[in-house]
Amino acid sequence: MLGVFAVSGAGVGQGYAGTWSSNIRLERVKITIQNLPPAFRGFTIGLLSDLHSSPIVSKGHLQSAAELLMTAKPDMIALTGDFIGHTFHFPGEPPHGFEPEYIMNIVEAFSGLEAPHGIYGVLGNHDYWSGPEAMEMLEREFERGFGVQWLRNRNTRLERGGASIMLAGVDDYWQTTCSPGEALKDIPEEMVRILLSHNPEVNEILYPSHRVDLILSGHTHGGQIKLPFIGAPFQAGVRKRKYMEGLAWDGERQTYVTRGVGHLVVPIRLLCPPEVSLITLV
């Protein structure tokens, strides 16, 4: 019996250590996109998601993630939601509220973020669950603090060396306002399309007419807790395990799911370290 408690205690201790700032990983991923304009070969996208700024995710942890990303000098930065909130929320419940200090912690921690091709963001389910006032403050303070451009069901053109690709973003998949059709509206058919979506299951509502080359997502935390030989015991907000973390394919469409920076409910990450991602297009 003492052995069981010893092993359990060691696992919890390791899981808590997995949330330390020193354990944040910079994951470098090369993604091949057909018909990528030559000018965009080698273009890098820094991906930050699932910050969950809260009593269990400190400003120092967030700042460490931002500083780690800036060592890679990305050409563009994508923020894919769940910036605040750290508790469960059930359908039908009112917004679980928010404390402005945790939004300002992000603004201060991310004040050094910069990229020559801009910083773009979409919101996650916990941002919506925090209520309209929280969402309004997030959008306002991120714009003021480090120049975020929000892609809520809309798109923008990225230009480099005389060539262009399109970047789009959608509202959270669990919201009735999520509209890939609106986000991809008026994009020329031949152009490379990258879509920001907090939840990778946006793939489930993409029609053939919604052609997308690459989706960048978070939401799952990679499971947050993994067990040896078993992996993540919980689906972590998605129905298909292929969307748990890393790169997934749906035909020619690719989706990259980051493990994210923060953690939910408990300050534990077991065999699933927090992640800052650097995507290189090739």
Side-chain angles (χ1 to χ4, degrees):
M1 182 64 73
L2 290 176
V4 172
F5 281 116
V7 172
S8 299
V12 171
Q14 182 183 2
Y16 179 71
T19 68
W20 294 348
S21 300
S22 60
N23 282 348
I24 302 174
R25 301 272 184 88
L26 176 61
E27 300 288 1
R28 298 176 181 267
V29 183
K30 290 184 178 181
I31 296 181
T32 300
I33 295 182
Q34 298 298 322
N35 302 319
L36 184 70
F40 278 90
R41 293 172 185 169
F43 186 83
T44 55
I45 302 173
L47 175 59
L48 293 166
S49 191
D50 298 272
L51 310 179
H52 290 287
S53 180
S54 65
I56 62 172
V57 179
S58 71
K59 180 169 67 175
H61 183 80
L62 301 176
Q63 186 169 346
S64 293
E67 291 173 351
L68 181 59
L69 179 59
M70 290 312 299
T71 64
K73 299 180 180 180
D75 294 311
M76 188 204 91
I77 296 174
L79 309 175
T80 53
D82 272 9
F83 302 110
I84 55 176
H86 67 289
T87 59
F88 286 129
H89 186 276
F90 297 96
E93 290 184 344
H96 53 38
F98 79 105
E99 296 180 44
E101 69 175 287
Y102 297 118
I103 293 178
M104 297 313 299
N105 279 353
I106 303 171
V107 174
E108 294 170 16
F110 281 16
S111 61
L113 286 186
E114 58 181 359
H117 290 271
I119 304 174
Y120 300 89
V122 294
L123 297 173
N125 53 292
H126 280 272
D127 304 319
Y128 284 90
W129 291 346
S130 296
E133 184 180 353
M135 293 164 58
E136 180 181 344
M137 184 176 179
L138 276 167
E139 292 183 326
R140 181 182 69 247
E141 296 301 332
F142 281 26
E143 288 174 8
R144 290 177 179 175
F146 46 101
V148 173
Q149 301 176 57
W150 294 99
L151 297 177
R152 296 190 61 182
N153 297 322
R154 69 181 190 90
N155 61 69
T156 190
R157 184 183 296 260
L158 302 178
E159 298 182 341
R160 190 189 203 199
S164 302
I165 62 175
M166 299 301 295
L167 179 69
V170 289
D171 284 352
D172 181 63
Y173 171 66
W174 286 349
Q175 309 304 311
T176 58
T177 54
C178 179
S179 177
E182 193 66 25
L184 300 168
K185 186 177 180 180
D186 298 327
I187 298 179
E189 177 60 30
E190 71 279 3
M191 292 192 71
V192 167
R193 305 173 179 198
I194 299 174
L195 178 67
L196 306 184
S197 171
H198 173 68
N199 190 325
E201 287 197 326
V202 73
N203 279 284
E204 302 298 310
I205 57 172
L206 291 179
Y207 298 113
S209 60
H210 297 153
R211 188 188 62 77
V212 174
D213 297 284
L214 174 64
I215 298 174
L216 299 178
S217 294
H219 183 61
T220 67
H221 303 194
Q224 188 165 315
I225 295 174
K226 292 182 178 178
L227 301 178
F229 311 111
I230 297 175
F234 307 108
Q235 291 288 95
V238 291
R239 289 166 290 182
K240 295 183 178 179
R241 282 193 172 269
K242 73 175 184 178
Y243 297 136
M244 188 68 74
E245 68 171 301
L247 198 59
W249 286 263
D250 290 274
E252 296 183 356
R253 184 173 64 249
Q254 299 175 79
T255 300
Y256 185 78
V257 184
T258 175
R259 295 188 301 272
V261 172
H263 30 272
L264 186 67
V265 182
V266 292
I268 292 177
R269 272 185 175 267
L270 182 61
L271 302 179
C272 187
E275 173 184 346
V276 169
S277 318
L278 186 74
I279 310 297
T280 302
L281 305 184
V282 297

